[in-house]
């Protein structure tokens, strides 16, 4: 699962300007520790992937970065500004695309852009708004109410609003959730172009592994804690796991048998195949020998990022429960 | 599987109870609003106002005039606040509203009384609110019938035809025909503004929170004061539209005489509108959702309408209710509107009522800005 695009840019020098540098960032809500001592360092021009299951604290982390939530503990800088004291300066240079659509549904596309541009004090506003409408392909829909747009168009509009003031850091919280594959590809192309050409830095959360693979670096969060960090290639290399893909009839029953009968915890359905993940190949072979029927096929495959993360989750779950 | 419709009903009932319990404020309002109504209607509201401030302009001092004053005070309706005023002072006091009645006894009253010449004595009343004065005036008439029989011996107490020995002249200033509309319609201006301005702004920030747009707004460098003021300004315009509507209706529909300066009224209305918008905005920084915001507005509206002197005469309320009423902007605005429209008050007369409104406004805004969160915490 090599990605040529990634290799070309990951060669970028390690010494580039540090855009995000936080240490021990922690957020406690009444009874939940949403983010627990997370460190992060992002350099200029990076597309940084932020992964983790729902409720693992990604949104909370991002909100602390851009001054929308006050951290319970931790410190650091964003674009060189202190995240604890210089939130206003940070907001001037950050574009934040929220997970939930947060523009005004009762304003038109153009009115939303115009309003946002005014709040940021964008110079030459009418021209900038018109240009943004063109770039987003929203020119024809400029007078449509934002509430009537479909998911993909809403996402474009949100992105447009986040880019109006030409931010240096773009925070994207699940921007492609519920967006069709083509729109998703276009979206990524645009993000990567901006990162490469304009040196825009991007922190993006996603549940899609193909998107994760396009990132220069990844952090994986679980239960508010950082589980692992590195380039996709590093993560695959260091995981030291082996994966078998099993096809055939009644995979659900087989999965239950493998999990309960043989204590194999990482048995997960992927499309029409069952992935069995382990760092102990002997155990897998023995278990497969016991449960597979002649109707099943089993072949060892290259591990993907999903397999790595599933493995990490299972391995660490003892520490959290 | 066996189906059980009762189970479904129970499920809905149970869910409603759970949700009701979670929404503490709604629950508090459901208990608080009826309690408040009971207390306000039961204890605070009194349609038989007593101890109304009365001033005396006396050109004559004798046991007879003292007896008259004492009888008035004893009736419970009149509280003598000043027993030695000049005519001009009494005039001003009625205009400013510091007395409700002024009793004028002419210089040769006792002489004429003893001679059986049926002297006149005059009671002037601030008739702006007919409900506030009617019972007192009725009591006064009773007094004037009886008192001379008691005070004057035998035949002198009666002149021909059984009429009292002295005649009472009542002069209702400002609203001589006691037309209730003259009092209600100008007051409605304040009531309408209080109701709409508070609700409309209390929804302003709550709506942003509920729809999720607050996150977008807070992500930008906009300042709290910019958000607050930006949300107030448009509704000032709406408020003025309402003021003009009420004024037009007062003048052309109800034929209420407008004696004072309209520009002065409009200027005073600005402060009152801003005060109400500030309250609404403060509510909206506290309320978690739009329903709570509306409930809080209602919680503010209820005492405003009941304790301000709009529905019931202010002077008829017990001291604690008058204290609460005095804190509310509507109470003072009513005095301003009625003063300007019905009495022809000028700036000097209404200035005393502007101060408490301004103070209220400043406090509400300060709380609102303090409570406005720059984060989603
Ligand atoms: N405002 C809040 N109040 C209380 N708990 C919250 C709040 N926001 C998030 N949480 C909790 O914090 C945890 C992390 O949430 P979130 O950051 O949204 O995760 P993610 O974005 O990774 O799905 C969850 O358990 C969530 O319920
Ligand atoms: Mg999230």
């Amino acid at each position: 699962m090599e990605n040529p695009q990634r290799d070309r840019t990951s060669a970028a020098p390690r010494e580039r300007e540090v855009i995000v540098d936080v240490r021990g960032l922690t957020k406690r809500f009444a009874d939940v520790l949403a983010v627990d001592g997370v460190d992060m360092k992002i350099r200029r021009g990076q597309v940084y992937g932020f992964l983790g299951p729902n409720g693992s604290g990604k949104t909370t982390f991002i909100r602390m970065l851009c001054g929308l939530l006050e951290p319970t503990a931790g410190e650091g800088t964003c674009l060189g500004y202190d995240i604890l004291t210089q939130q206003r300066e940070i907001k001037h240079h950050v574009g934040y695309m929220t997970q939930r659509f947060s523009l005004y549904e009762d304003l038109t596309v153009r009115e939303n852009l115009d309003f946002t541009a005014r709040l940021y004090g964008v110079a030459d506003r009418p021209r900038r708004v018109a240009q943004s409408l063109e770039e987003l392909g929203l020119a024809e829909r400029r007078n449509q109410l934002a509430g009537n747009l479909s998911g993909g168009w809403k996402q474009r509009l949100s992105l447009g609003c986040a880019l109006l003031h030409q931010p240096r850091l773009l925070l994207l919280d699940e921007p492609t959730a519920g967006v069709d594959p083509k729109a998703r590809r276009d979206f990524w192309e645009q993000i990567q172009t901006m990162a490469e050409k304009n040196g825009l830095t991007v922190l993006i959360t996603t549940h899609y592994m193909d998107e994760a693979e396009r990132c220069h670096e990844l952090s994986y969060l679980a239960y508010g804690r950082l589980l692992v960090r590195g380039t996709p290639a590093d993560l695959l290399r260091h995981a030291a796991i082996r994966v078998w893909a099993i096809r055939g009839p009644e995979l659900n029953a087989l999965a239950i048998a493998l999990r309960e009968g043989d204590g194999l915890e990482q048995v997960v359905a992927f499309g029409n195949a069952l992935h069995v993940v382990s760092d102990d190949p002997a155990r897998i072979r023995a278990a497969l020998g016991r449960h597979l029927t002649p109707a099943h096929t089993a072949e060892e495959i290259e591990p993907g990022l999903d397999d790595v993360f599933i493995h990490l989750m299972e391995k660490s779950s003892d520490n959290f429960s | 599987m066996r189906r059980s419709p009762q189970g479904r009903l129970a499920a809905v009932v149970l869910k409603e109870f759970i949700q009701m319990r979670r929404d503490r404020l709604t629950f508090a309002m459901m208990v608080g609003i009826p309690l408040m109504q009971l207390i306000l209607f039961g204890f605070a509201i009194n349609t038989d106002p007593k101890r109304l401030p009365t001033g005396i302009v006396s050109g004559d001092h004798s046991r007879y005039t003292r007896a008259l004053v004492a009888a008035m005070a004893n009736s419970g309706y009149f509280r003598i606040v000043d027993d030695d005023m000049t005519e001009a002072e009494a005039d001003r006091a009625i205009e400013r509203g510091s007395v409700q009645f002024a009793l004028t006894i002419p210089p040769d009253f006792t002489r004429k009384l003893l001679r059986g010449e049926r002297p006149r004595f005059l009671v002037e009343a601030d008739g702006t609110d007919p409900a506030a004065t009617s019972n007192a005036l009725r009591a006064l008439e009773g007094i004037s019938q009886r008192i001379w029989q008691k005070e004057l011996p035998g035949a002198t107490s009666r002149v021909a035809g059984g009429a009292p020995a002295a005649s009472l002249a009542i002069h209702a200033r400002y609203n001589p025909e006691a037309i209730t509309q003259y009092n209600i319609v100008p007051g409605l201006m304040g009531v309408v503004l209080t109701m709409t301005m508070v609700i409309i702004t209390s929804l302003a920030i709550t709506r942003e929170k509920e729809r999720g747009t607050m996150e977008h707004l807070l992500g930008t460098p906009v300042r709290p004061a910019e958000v607050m003021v930006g949300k107030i300004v448009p509704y000032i315009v709406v408020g003025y539209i309402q003021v003009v509507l009420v004024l037009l209706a007062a003048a052309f529909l109800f034929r209420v005489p407008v004696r004072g300066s309209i520009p002065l009224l409009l200027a005073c209305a600005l402060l009152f509108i801003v005060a109400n918008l500030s309250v609404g905005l403060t509510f909206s920084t506290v309320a978690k959702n739009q329903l709570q915001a509306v409930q809080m507005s209602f919680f503010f509206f209820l005492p405003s309408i009941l304790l301000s002197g709009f529905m019931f005469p202010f002077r008829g309320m017990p001291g604690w209710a008058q204290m609460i009423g005095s804190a509310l902007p509507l109470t003072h605005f009513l005095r301003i509107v009625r003063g300007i429209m019905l009495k022809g008050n000028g700036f000097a007369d209404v200035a005393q009522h502007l101060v408490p409104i301004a103070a209220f406004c400043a406090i509400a805004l300060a709380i609102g800005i303090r409570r406005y969160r720059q984060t989603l915490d």
Side-chain angles (χ1 to χ4, degrees):
Chain A
M1 290 207 200
E2 286 299 90
N3 185 324
Q5 215 156 5
R6 189 194 65 236
D7 280 347
R8 197 177 61 219
T9 42
S10 64
R14 273 275 181 205
E15 289 72 41
R16 281 199 199 169
E17 181 191 353
V18 176
I19 296 292
V20 173
D21 187 9
V22 295
R23 291 163 302 278
L25 218 51
T26 301
K27 181 70 190 182
R28 176 184 286 283
F29 294 111
D31 49 351
V32 211
L33 197 54
V35 175
D36 184 6
V38 173
D39 300 350
M40 189 177 279
K41 191 178 254 186
I42 308 179
R43 288 174 188 277
R44 188 172 133 86
Q46 271 192 319
V47 176
Y48 199 105
F50 202 17
L51 286 79
N54 288 330
S56 56
K58 304 181 295 294
T59 301
T60 305
F61 180 88
I62 289 178
R63 285 171 172 173
M64 286 192 283
L65 262 193
C66 60
L68 281 177
L69 284 176
E70 213 164 302
T72 311
E75 53 168 19
T77 59
C78 182
L79 295 159
Y81 299 111
D82 191 316
I83 58 162
L84 300 178
T85 57
Q86 297 180 291
Q87 293 98 334
R88 268 183 66 79
E89 284 83 353
I90 293 175
K91 287 176 186 177
H92 269 291
H93 301 287
V94 168
Y96 174 34
M97 183 170 158
T98 55
Q99 178 172 356
R100 182 181 158 195
F101 184 70
S102 64
L103 294 172
Y104 296 88
E105 306 216 326
D106 46 358
L107 294 188
T108 65
V109 169
R110 199 191 54 74
E111 287 163 346
N112 267 302
L113 285 165
D114 195 66
F115 174 67
T116 309
R118 281 176 197 267
L119 291 186
Y120 283 104
V122 169
D124 201 4
R125 184 169 38 78
R127 198 191 52 78
R128 189 78 189 92
V129 168
Q131 181 194 353
S132 170
L133 283 167
E134 287 300 332
E135 283 169 6
L136 297 165
L138 276 164
E140 286 161 44
R141 296 169 197 266
R142 61 158 70 84
N143 293 324
Q144 198 169 325
L145 290 183
N148 297 339
L149 294 175
S150 68
W153 287 111
K154 276 185 178 162
Q155 170 242 34
R156 302 208 119 196
L157 177 58
S158 302
L159 180 66
C161 280
L163 289 172
L164 271 174
H165 58 296
Q166 290 165 318
R168 292 161 58 203
L169 171 66
L170 196 53
L171 303 174
L172 305 172
D173 198 357
E174 295 193 27
T176 54
V179 171
D180 71 62
K182 166 150 187 344
R184 223 146 61 78
R185 266 198 309 278
D186 295 347
F187 182 84
W188 267 91
E189 229 151 73
Q190 193 182 352
I191 297 293
Q192 283 179 316
T193 310
M194 286 187 296
E196 280 168 32
K197 282 208 187 127
N198 317 340
L200 180 70
T201 310
V202 182
L203 175 60
I204 180 167
T205 74
T206 179
H207 292 296
Y208 295 110
M209 289 306 138
D210 60 324
E211 294 184 359
E213 281 161 8
R214 299 176 81 152
C215 295
H216 300 124
E217 201 170 333
L218 298 174
S219 272
Y220 190 90
L221 217 58
Y223 307 101
R225 280 192 236 176
L226 187 72
L227 222 53
V228 68
R229 172 175 51 206
T231 65
D234 286 346
L235 293 181
L236 288 170
R237 216 165 17 246
H238 293 141
I241 50 167
R242 308 275 292 271
V243 182
W244 275 261
I246 299 158
R247 285 165 218 275
E250 289 169 25
L251 289 179
N252 271 336
L254 181 64
I256 292 167
L258 286 170
R259 269 189 221 124
E260 288 176 1
D262 287 85
L264 283 176
E265 274 145 3
Q266 293 133 54
V267 183
V268 184
F270 274 99
N272 60 354
L274 207 59
H275 282 198
V276 184
V277 185
S278 175
D279 45 13
D280 181 0
R283 238 177 97 197
I284 294 187
R285 282 205 200 89
L288 293 183
R290 270 195 297 281
H291 292 285
L292 288 201
T293 65
H296 288 105
T297 62
E299 60 167 332
E300 187 168 0
I301 57 167
E302 282 282 310
L305 279 173
D306 315 48
D307 303 314
V308 173
F309 294 137
I310 290 160
H311 182 69
L312 285 168
M313 281 293 285
E314 292 292 348
K315 238 177 41 180
S316 67
S317 62
D318 314 332
N319 305 338
F320 293 109
S321 49
Chain B
M1 242 199 282
R2 201 174 62 84
R3 298 227 174 111
S4 148
Q6 305 93 315
R8 285 197 297 268
L9 173 62
V12 176
V13 171
L14 187 65
K15 168 192 144 290
E16 290 300 321
F17 268 119
I18 294 173
Q19 288 179 319
M20 202 194 306
R21 214 187 54 210
R22 298 266 151 80
D23 189 356
R24 289 274 163 75
L25 189 71
T26 300
F27 195 74
M29 292 287 174
M30 282 192 290
V31 180
I33 286 174
L35 265 182
M36 188 151 119
Q37 275 174 322
L38 274 174
I39 291 170
L40 295 188
F41 276 108
F43 298 115
I45 285 157
N46 176 0
T47 46
D48 186 21
K50 299 214 166 146
R51 297 181 49 71
L52 299 167
T54 305
I56 295 171
V57 183
S58 187
D60 191 6
H61 297 272
S62 68
R63 53 173 284 225
Y64 303 108
T65 63
R66 279 193 293 277
L68 173 63
V69 171
M72 282 172 67
N74 286 341
S75 74
Y77 283 103
F78 304 91
R79 180 167 50 93
I80 313 299
V81 291
D82 190 341
D83 62 2
D84 188 20
M85 297 177 108
T86 65
E87 233 167 275
E89 280 169 354
D91 244 27
R92 285 283 299 141
I94 288 192
E95 200 174 307
R96 291 169 54 94
S98 56
V99 300
Q100 190 95 36
F101 300 102
L103 166 68
T104 306
I105 300 173
D108 51 358
F109 181 79
T110 308
R111 200 167 46 89
K112 285 187 173 168
L113 184 72
L114 292 173
R115 282 201 201 150
E117 287 178 15
R118 293 202 72 216
R120 271 160 59 99
F121 63 104
L122 173 71
V123 170
E124 280 182 292
D126 175 351
T128 333
D129 184 358
T133 49
S134 60
N135 283 1
L137 290 177
R138 208 166 305 129
L140 183 64
E141 271 163 20
I143 291 170
S144 77
Q145 302 272 344
R146 276 174 280 115
I147 183 163
W148 314 116
Q149 294 172 15
K150 219 165 68 195
E151 296 297 328
L152 290 174
T156 4
S157 74
R158 300 213 158 238
V159 288
S167 73
L168 164 65
I170 293 176
H171 177 199
R173 301 256 304 256
Y174 308 124
N175 186 3
E177 298 95 358
I179 298 173
T180 341
Q181 268 101 328
Y182 285 9
N183 188 50
I184 299 274
V185 175
L188 269 178
M189 183 186 298
V191 171
V192 167
L193 286 174
T194 302
M195 188 162 65
T196 51
M197 295 291 101
V198 173
I199 287 194
I200 227 167
T201 37
S202 72
L203 295 176
I205 286 179
T206 334
R207 190 189 306 124
E208 303 251 9
K209 278 191 231 166
E210 219 172 312
R211 295 199 186 157
T213 52
M214 204 62 189
E215 199 174 359
H216 174 68
L217 205 58
L218 289 176
T220 74
V222 71
R223 290 174 199 272
E226 290 163 347
V227 175
M228 305 281 274
V229 176
K231 282 182 178 289
I232 283 183
V233 169
Y235 298 117
I236 293 181
V237 178
V238 177
Y240 266 117
I241 294 175
Q242 295 181 333
V243 169
V244 170
L245 279 179
V246 174
L247 274 179
L248 289 176
F252 298 109
L253 209 59
F254 297 100
R255 306 265 166 212
V256 178
V258 180
R259 303 180 59 185
S261 147
I262 296 288
L264 176 63
L265 180 59
L266 293 181
C268 295
L270 177 63
L271 183 62
F272 180 65
I273 290 171
V274 172
N276 282 305
L277 294 176
S278 309
V279 182
L281 217 49
T282 301
F283 285 167
S284 83
T285 59
V286 178
K288 289 204 183 65
N289 53 50
Q290 298 191 50
L291 176 65
Q292 286 190 352
V294 172
Q295 287 169 331
M296 291 170 88
S297 307
F298 191 67
F299 210 70
F300 177 73
F301 182 62
L302 203 57
S304 285
I305 198 167
L306 295 180
L307 301 185
S308 62
F310 172 73
M311 270 188 151
F312 310 100
F314 189 79
R315 289 194 170 115
M317 302 189 305
W320 61 267
Q322 291 196 10
M323 255 169 61
I324 299 174
S326 300
L328 300 168
L330 181 59
T331 307
H332 303 280
F333 187 65
L334 285 181
R335 292 173 188 169
I336 293 176
V337 183
R338 288 171 178 167
I340 294 178
M341 284 181 72
L342 303 177
K343 298 181 175 183
N345 277 178
F347 178 74
D349 300 306
V350 298
Q352 52 169 339
H353 304 304
L354 288 173
V355 177
I357 302 182
F360 181 93
C361 183
I363 293 171
L365 262 188
I367 297 176
I369 289 178
R370 263 186 74 90
R371 285 214 44 108
Y372 177 85
R373 291 271 142 252
Q374 285 208 64
T375 61
L376 294 167
D377 284 274

